[in-house]
Amino acid sequence: MYPNLKLQIFKRGMRQNYLAQVLGINEAILSKIIHGYHEPSEAMRKSLADFLEAGEDWLFEKYEAQGVGNGSSRGTAPVSIGAERKDDKS
C-alpha cells in the first residue's frame, strides 16, 4: 500500500476518479496502485508525483501491515477481553 499517495490525493482535495481522468488512466488501475496491487510504471510514478507536487520517493514509500491471520488485521496484536491473570490473587 502507498499511504503517502493516498494522503497526498486527500491533501490536494481531489478524488481518485478525477485524478485518474486527468492522467488518462482507468480508475480501477489507480486504486490498485494506491493499495499496492499494481506497480506503476516509471512514467506513471513521475506523472503522479509531478501532478500531486510531491517527491516520488516519498509518494511511493510502501507500507506493509504486520498482522497475522487471514489478512484482515491492521498490524495490531489480538486482545483478550475479560482475561484474568494467573498471578492475580484477588
Side-chain angles (χ1 to χ4, degrees), residues 14-50:
M14 61 182 72
R15 297 174 55 129
Q16 289 181 24
N17 60 349
Y18 172 76
L19 180 58
Q21 182 181 6
V22 168
L23 295 177
I25 63 172
N26 185 290
E27 291 176 41
I29 296 296
L30 179 58
S31 179
K32 287 178 182 181
I33 290 171
I34 292 168
H35 292 94
Y37 299 117
H38 182 85
E39 285 300 317
S41 66
E42 288 299 319
M44 180 55 58
R45 288 171 62 109
K46 181 162 180 24
S47 294
L48 284 163
D50 289 347

Side-chain angles (χ1 to χ4, degrees), residues 81-88:
I81 309 263
E84 295 180 18
R85 292 176 37 181
K86 293 196 184 251
D87 61 345
D88 192 3

